[in-house]
Amino acid sequence: MKFIHVADTHLGRGDKNVEARVHDFYNAFKQVVDFAIKEKVDFIVHSGDFFDKARPPINTLVFATKQLERLKESKIPIFLIAGSHDIGVGETILTLFDELGLIKNLSSSRYYKIEDGKIHLDGEMFRDVFVCGVPGKRANIEEIYKRIVPANKGKYKIFMFHHTISDISEKFADIPTSVLPKGFDYYAGGHWHGFYEKKYDKGIIIYPGSTEFNDITEAEKNKERCFMLVDIDKNKIEKIKLNVREHIIYKINCSGLDAKEVADKCINEIKEIKKDAVLVIKLYGRLKKGTKAEVNRNKIISWGKDAGFLATKVYIGDLENPEKPFVSAGIKSPSKIEEEYLKQQKYNTDEIKLAKDIIKIMGNVSGKEVEVAKDEIIQLIEGVLIENKKD
Ligand SMILES: [Mn+2]
């Protein structure tokens, strides 16, 4: 018996200014479905973040429905849990797909009952395989794990979850690894977007990672995207590589430059030109003159377009402005001081508003909410980019 383990497909995600990137996320999932049908796997487990939002756009729903119907026609069930992105306020669209019989959402209330303070996971049997899981909620999650009692059935047992374990990263951990229930053969992880594997109890924990690059740090850390093919009888676990859009990343040192010289320096330094790849330029160092807001990003972007790149992204987060004397503090509020400082750096009113919104979000971040804050910030920035595009 063979199954596929996939996670974090984030359907509906992608750069809103580059339509092709939205299709890249579709294409990655379609590769999984094609493979499943071709290899005649028995079932699929998906560890959450199937969609990027709890209420995805119509186009995304059309795409997902067609792919799930292909699986249904081939009699390949897909067992799934809701990830942090699938869970919105109130219901998730997964309920609809579950009701239509296109997926089995094992994190829905149909699959567990609460008795004497314990959470009994009933899961689902597929022949002699037992599959169960918990949704990617964050609130009180450690306590919830401690109350979990999975049903004891099946010859081969799969536990699906959508949390980062402390063994991967203490900093980003949602749960200590040790709260995972014991006795499973395969711990199908999601939420952590890179590949990770580790033995646990008598089984193995595996995170295949996301199927596409959700942000630049993912493309920077690991060029590969994959899903898992597991042959239960042969006790064999295989990584299946996905064919995803190439990201070419350049880090360009701008120390001692005038802001006006930065664009030309970037254009001169880019030697590797690949048609249809995403070009990522990360600027760093302290400028000698001008401010980072004065870097002519549009010149770099339009050069990238002419060179044939699908998209060009220029990041100025690590670039520093020339040293300036401090603003006198007096009895002003921190917010006022931030604003004055940003004005002095020649940012315009919209940019100052964006910066203040970001500072506000970051001021409320605790370790566990980093991903949520990151999403909020990305949305803020994308919002501004779209606004500017309209002008
Ligand atoms: Mn995710």
Side-chain angles (χ1 to χ4, degrees), residues 8 10 49 85 162 191 193 371:
D8 295 277
H10 285 268
D49 285 357
H85 281 253
H162 189 87
H191 190 51
H193 282 187
E371 178 138 335

Side-chain angles (χ1 to χ4, degrees), residues 142-161:
E142 208 179 314
E143 289 313 305
I144 290 172
Y145 269 96
K146 285 176 184 162
R147 288 163 58 197
I148 284 175
V149 185
N152 185 13
K153 48 190 180 185
K155 259 193 188 165
Y156 188 89
K157 300 170 203 285
I158 301 171
F159 181 77
M160 289 193 280
F161 65 109

Side-chain angles (χ1 to χ4, degrees), residues 73 75 84 86 119 145 153 160 162 212 277 282 361:
E73 277 162 25
K75 298 192 169 53
S84 41
D86 300 306
I119 303 163
Y145 269 96
K153 48 190 180 185
M160 289 193 280
H162 189 87
E212 244 291 351
K282 294 184 93 175
I361 292 171

Side-chain angles (χ1 to χ4, degrees), residues 129-234:
V129 177
F130 173 59
V131 198
C132 68
V134 292
K137 291 187 177 182
R138 289 200 183 85
N140 295 323
I141 191 62
E142 208 179 314
E143 289 313 305
I144 290 172
Y145 269 96
K146 285 176 184 162
R147 288 163 58 197
I148 284 175
V149 185
N152 185 13
K153 48 190 180 185
K155 259 193 188 165
Y156 188 89
K157 300 170 203 285
I158 301 171
F159 181 77
M160 289 193 280
F161 65 109
H162 189 87
H163 295 104
T164 300
I165 52 171
S166 54
D167 281 3
I168 295 182
S169 156
E170 283 292 344
K171 193 176 162 204
F172 295 113
D174 302 303
I175 50 165
T177 308
S178 59
V179 297
L180 288 173
K182 305 282 190 309
F184 285 83
D185 297 283
Y186 191 97
Y187 294 83
H191 190 51
W192 182 255
H193 282 187
F195 175 82
Y196 179 83
E197 66 179 325
K198 194 193 175 153
K199 290 215 162 75
Y200 180 73
D201 194 31
K202 286 168 202 141
I204 187 160
I205 300 170
I206 294 190
Y207 291 78
S210 58
T211 48
E212 244 291 351
F213 302 115
N214 281 242
D215 60 37
I216 298 316
T217 39
E218 288 174 26
E220 226 176 342
K221 272 191 223 151
N222 191 339
K223 295 267 172 207
E224 259 176 43
R225 300 285 101 183
C226 71
F227 61 93
M228 311 309 296
L229 174 66
V230 184
D231 189 322
I232 297 175
D233 310 307
K234 289 186 187 152

